[in-house]
Amino acid sequence: MSTTPPVLAAELAQAWADIQRHHPELPDLAAPESLIGESSSACGAELSFERLLHEAVHGIAAARGVRDTSRAGRYHNRRFLAIAEEMGLDHPEEPHASSGFSLVTLNPEAKRRYRPTIERLQRALKAHTVATAADTKRSFRGPAARHGSSGGGVRVKAVCDCGRNVRVVPSVLAQAPIVCGGCGKPFRIPETVGAAS
């Protein structure tokens, strides 16, 4: 099995299609590669079938015109939970203070229904992890850098010439300069010592 991101993206697309067979109103997954290597967000830190099903809940909510989150997408409300339960996800606890009902898990019926899909995706994810483990020290893999969004990405410190700093997703800074109100110069991400050698 090839371990290149396009192959993993194809496996993610196939898993999404498997979910669509059970939930036909689920829209197509526009960019499966945007989920590869997801680092941190209210939706979870690790890519898995459970995470993919979680994202499918958001897809169905969007298709239905349901606002399933608040606080810039961090807090997952009871409308999210209702759709999640329809799709085979449970949330046994009270909502988390900052992320609400985001920490959903597969129920036993969903595990049985999607077992072949889960196993296939786990193999592809494992192969991808092995293939990409060597380059993680040199590559920024934040979600915003991969798919151009500003939400949920890994924020880094950007500085200006007068010494002020802000936390920003690198892809946002790359779109257009963010100018300091104090000195009028653009904020920039400083070079790290290791990158200079």
Side-chain angles (χ1 to χ4, degrees):
M1 173 191 301
S2 172
T3 57
T4 60
V7 172
L8 179 54
E11 290 291 346
L12 287 165
Q14 182 59 51
W16 192 266
D18 292 348
I19 298 168
Q20 283 179 311
R21 276 194 278 288
H22 296 282
H23 303 279
E25 69 184 305
L26 178 63
D28 290 339
L29 182 59
E33 61 277 2
S34 69
L35 296 171
I36 297 171
E38 193 69 39
S39 62
S40 65
S41 77
C43 299
E46 184 177 307
L47 184 56
S48 64
F49 180 77
E50 196 167 77
R51 172 71 191 273
L52 194 64
L53 197 56
H54 174 124
E55 294 301 330
V57 173
H58 291 304
I60 286 184
R64 293 179 182 175
V66 172
R67 187 167 180 220
D68 63 339
T69 63
S70 59
R71 301 180 197 164
R74 289 186 307 273
Y75 191 87
H76 293 59
N77 59 35
R78 290 191 183 278
R79 291 180 293 272
F80 170 85
L81 182 59
I83 298 170
E85 288 172 346
E86 286 178 37
M87 296 183 71
L89 292 165
D90 289 334
H91 190 284
E93 307 164 12
E94 289 297 309
H96 186 274
S98 63
S99 62
F101 294 99
S102 70
L103 303 175
V104 288
T105 57
L106 283 166
N107 68 27
E109 181 184 335
K111 284 180 184 176
R112 279 191 300 277
R113 177 186 306 142
Y114 293 113
R115 176 170 288 133
T117 305
I118 292 167
E119 290 171 355
R120 192 178 66 243
L121 186 58
Q122 283 176 335
R123 283 192 301 273
L125 286 166
K126 183 177 179 183
H128 177 74
T129 300
V130 168
T132 59
D135 73 335
T136 56
K137 291 180 183 174
R138 297 185 48 87
S139 302
F140 177 76
R141 295 194 174 277
R146 285 188 314 282
H147 55 85
S149 75
S150 61
V154 176
R155 286 163 175 76
V156 297
K157 184 166 81 171
V159 298
C160 69
D161 288 345
C162 70
R164 297 177 72 211
N165 65 71
V166 295
R167 289 277 181 192
V168 63
V169 176
S171 64
V172 171
L173 194 58
Q175 291 170 8
I178 299 174
V179 180
C180 174
C183 70
K185 303 273 178 142
F187 284 95
R188 59 184 165 60
I189 298 171
E191 294 290 323
T192 62
V193 175
S197 56

